[in-house]
Amino acid sequence: MTDLYLKSLVEYALQKGPITADDRTFVRNRLLEIMQLDSYEEPQEAPICDLEAILKGLLDDAVSRGLIEDTVTDRDLFDTKLMGALTPYPHEVRRTFAEKYAVSPETATEYYYKFSRDTDYIRTYRIVKDVRWKYASPYGEMDITINLSKPEKDPKEVAAAKLLPQTGYPKCLLCMENEGYAGRRNHPTRQNHRVLPITIAGEDWFWQYSPYVYYNEHCIVFNGRHVPMTIDRSVFYKLLDFVRQFPHYFIGSNGDLPIVGGSILTHEHFQGGGYTFAMARAPIETKLTFDGFSDVDAGIVCWPMSVLRIAGENSDRVAELADHILTAWRAYTDESAFIFAETDGERHSTITPIARMRDGKYELDLVLRNNITTPEHPMGVYHPHAELHHIKRENIGLIEVMGLAVLPSRLKAELAAVRETVLSHGDLRASEGTAKHADWMEEVLSRRTVTEENIDAVIREEVGAVFAKCLEHAGVFRRDADGKAAFLRFAAFAGGKE
């Protein structure tokens, strides 16, 4: 049966395009080497067409012969090694991308995205396990996801990985040295990983697609040097230069401070892709003009977080105004609105910027962020408050800022338990999995009639409402008259007026 799986994997690669007929024997022998087999007999059966089934068959055989342990980590290390044998060298991928880019940027990214899926760097059979739905919020249709595509590791695996010696190569998960890296139990394998070079604002960068694709063509653009995240004047030029080269994509950066930043602050990187988020569809609710920038459109966006949108035909002018606003925000304190630029020498204010092209203009959304904490809100005043942590307690990063909730995998089982408890008229406080949701669900039941027919829709709507509230908590200016007045005070401080 192993020979059939090997035949099927070679035929898969031929069909998808990573290899040609000239490579058939060579690739088969590479696979035999990895499987530690020294013979092969061509099966008469038709090849299996499902990649997940092919890899599972080869992994099961490797486990049965003691080549690997039957753990998520060992299986991922081994099947990526198999796929790496089918993956072209970087120079081939870069040459093909350049040829496609000469046709159009869209043609090039379509090729590269398909390549990343076909080589199993993006494991599409895992991505489809994510739970996804839309939520019609007062701010537009938001995306809600429960992330299930990242496999859960056994606690023993996690503990064992911590005992392994740490190395400085690659320095982090983003460094370009990950390309082709075999991996280890405390660092993911990247043998089927190919990155593309790109010059932005005169600097050498690279880009790739995210293996977890939270949205269509979710890409990561990272500095060729291992330097920390920084939001400064240069970032705006970099973002705008990227969308100049790929005008069908957006690109954004997490903040450069804890709480309001991303999960990796040690390596400068951006995230982008071919998706239109709810925030991008949200309209300007208050138009502004900034002194000295009459050629740049500006305004406050109708969004739960505090967003200024600026746009113009000249990217340099847009970047200059963005830098002007950033400088003003970092210096701004308004005690009546609980906005503090710094306390005890610690800086609190930064911006989450997002760039796109729209109607021939360069556009930047500047999301005002502040990471101040208090005894009442130790995880952040402008962070989901404790009453929302049963759904979302993690930082509100770039993706969430734009209106896509990335919720923890635990919610799938917990919400299913809530559903069954409500339908059976049980006690929500009787088990740990449902107790954390009891206050929330009891409040929902007090104002909504819930039946077996509508409970799934009700739960999804109410989870969406919690996420929208998380974004409101992360907004530095409240969504009321006082908050609007405070927002306009900052705009005036920065030289803006209605």
Side-chain angles (χ1 to χ4, degrees):
M1 191 67 180
T2 299
D3 284 351
L4 177 58
Y5 290 126
L6 289 170
K7 172 185 176 180
S8 300
L9 189 54
V10 172
E11 292 302 319
Y12 168 88
L14 285 166
Q15 178 191 353
K16 294 297 184 179
I19 68 172
T20 69
D22 291 338
D23 304 317
R24 185 194 299 269
T25 300
F26 177 84
V27 167
R28 181 195 303 127
N29 286 333
R30 283 287 292 114
L31 295 173
L32 286 170
E33 177 188 356
I34 295 167
M35 294 295 296
Q36 298 184 28
L37 298 170
D38 55 14
S39 64
Y40 173 84
E41 185 173 336
E42 183 74 13
Q44 297 304 307
E45 299 97 322
I48 300 165
C49 297
D50 179 41
L51 179 61
E52 184 179 17
I54 296 169
L55 292 175
K56 183 180 184 303
L58 292 171
L59 289 169
D60 288 347
D61 177 70
V63 169
S64 70
R65 292 189 291 116
L67 301 184
I68 60 173
E69 293 182 17
D70 192 13
T71 65
V72 169
T73 299
D74 273 23
R75 282 175 167 264
D76 279 0
L77 287 169
F78 196 80
D79 70 6
T80 304
K81 189 174 186 178
L82 291 168
M83 294 305 298
L86 316 173
T87 305
Y89 278 94
H91 77 272
E92 299 176 70
V93 180
R94 295 175 185 185
R95 182 184 63 227
T96 302
F97 184 85
E99 292 169 353
K100 301 288 187 182
Y101 189 88
V103 177
S104 72
E106 292 90 342
T107 301
T109 54
E110 181 181 353
Y111 152 74
Y112 185 42
Y113 191 54
K114 180 179 183 298
F115 171 87
S116 299
R117 289 176 293 164
D118 290 345
T119 55
D120 208 36
Y121 181 69
I122 298 173
R123 297 174 184 257
T124 53
Y125 47 84
R126 287 184 180 170
I127 305 301
V128 297
K129 296 176 182 178
D130 290 347
V131 180
R132 301 172 182 268
W133 70 91
K134 302 284 188 179
Y135 167 62
S137 82
Y139 307 99
E141 192 172 67
M142 295 182 177
D143 297 285
I144 312 297
T145 69
I146 297 177
N147 179 31
L148 302 174
S149 56
K150 208 169 185 176
E152 295 287 338
K153 292 186 178 182
D154 184 280
K156 293 181 180 178
E157 286 187 75
V158 176
K162 288 182 178 179
L163 297 176
L164 293 174
Q166 299 296 311
T167 75
Y169 185 89
K171 290 182 179 178
C172 77
L173 295 174
L174 290 178
C175 287
M176 68 86 55
E177 287 80 10
N178 283 280
E179 185 178 44
Y181 186 61
R184 51 188 190 268
R185 285 179 175 170
N186 58 358
H187 191 102
T189 176
R190 291 289 185 259
Q191 285 151 309
N192 58 348
H193 180 39
R194 301 293 180 265
V195 301
L196 296 174
I198 182 174
T199 301
I200 52 176
E203 294 184 2
D204 293 332
W205 284 54
F206 294 88
W207 74 284
Q208 65 180 69
Y209 287 108
S210 166
Y212 302 112
V213 284
Y214 291 132
Y215 50 84
N216 184 53
E217 298 182 38
H218 177 183
C219 68
I220 301 171
V221 185
F222 56 96
N223 199 315
R225 297 176 297 126
H226 184 76
V227 294
M229 295 286 290
T230 303
I231 298 297
D232 60 13
R233 180 186 183 91
S234 70
V235 165
F236 305 124
Y237 288 94
K238 294 169 188 174
L239 296 176
L240 294 170
D241 193 27
F242 181 87
V243 297
R244 177 188 63 80
Q245 298 178 62
F246 297 94
H248 60 301
Y249 274 11
F250 81 90
I251 190 168
S253 175
N254 270 303
D256 55 352
L257 296 177
I259 298 176
V260 298
S263 57
I264 301 178
L265 293 175
T266 56
H267 194 136
E268 184 180 21
H269 68 284
F270 308 140
Q271 295 182 76
Y275 190 69
T276 302
F277 287 84
M279 191 175 78
R281 296 191 297 267
I284 295 288
E285 64 181 6
T286 304
K287 290 186 177 182
L288 300 171
T289 57
F290 283 84
D291 294 340
F293 292 93
S294 59
D295 55 330
V296 181
D297 302 331
I300 296 172
V301 180
C302 180
W303 193 242
M305 296 184 69
S306 307
V307 186
L308 287 169
R309 178 171 295 160
I310 60 176
E313 295 179 358
N314 186 318
S315 61
D316 287 348
R317 292 288 289 162
V318 174
E320 288 168 13
L321 177 53
D323 180 55
H324 174 78
I325 292 170
L326 172 64
T327 301
W329 178 239
R330 284 194 166 145
Y332 186 69
T333 290
D334 181 349
E335 293 187 16
S336 66
F338 207 77
I339 302 296
F340 294 89
E342 63 173 51
T343 57
D344 299 325
E346 179 185 357
R347 179 167 62 90
H348 294 303
S349 296
T350 189
I351 278 177
T352 299
I354 300 104
R356 66 183 73 89
M357 295 294 298
R358 195 197 306 256
D359 300 329
K361 291 185 177 182
Y362 293 91
E363 186 172 277
L364 275 173
D365 282 352
L366 306 174
V367 188
L368 306 180
R369 311 299 301 273
N370 188 283
N371 74 347
I372 194 169
T373 62
T374 64
E376 182 184 2
H377 300 295
M379 296 182 69
V381 173
Y382 305 110
H383 176 90
H385 294 173
E387 68 270 20
L388 307 180
H389 288 180
H390 65 105
I391 297 294
K392 174 78 174 175
R393 63 179 288 134
E394 298 79 12
N395 293 347
I396 300 297
L398 172 67
I399 295 172
E400 287 92 355
V401 162
M402 296 184 291
L404 189 155
V406 182
L407 302 179
S409 59
R410 63 176 171 81
L411 285 179
K412 182 178 181 181
E414 290 176 5
L415 294 177
V418 167
R419 179 189 190 278
E420 295 308 311
T421 303
V422 169
L423 290 178
S424 65
H425 305 288
D427 181 4
L428 287 166
R429 301 179 188 279
S431 70
E432 182 181 353
T434 59
K436 68 180 72 172
H437 301 289
D439 289 346
W440 165 64
M441 186 49 60
E442 287 169 359
E443 190 278 329
V444 170
L445 294 172
S446 72
R447 56 181 167 80
R448 300 191 66 165
T449 300
V450 177
T451 66
E452 188 169 1
E453 288 72 29
N454 75 356
I455 189 168
D456 294 324
V458 168
I459 288 176
R460 290 189 169 198
E461 288 170 11
E462 296 296 337
V463 169
V466 169
F467 175 63
K469 183 63 69 175
C470 287
L471 297 187
E472 289 178 350
H473 285 186
V476 295
F477 298 116
R478 296 192 304 275
R479 293 293 302 173
D480 58 21
D482 289 342
K484 178 67 174 294
F487 204 153
L488 291 174
R489 287 199 300 274
F490 165 68
F493 177 83
K497 56 183 179 293
E498 289 188 80

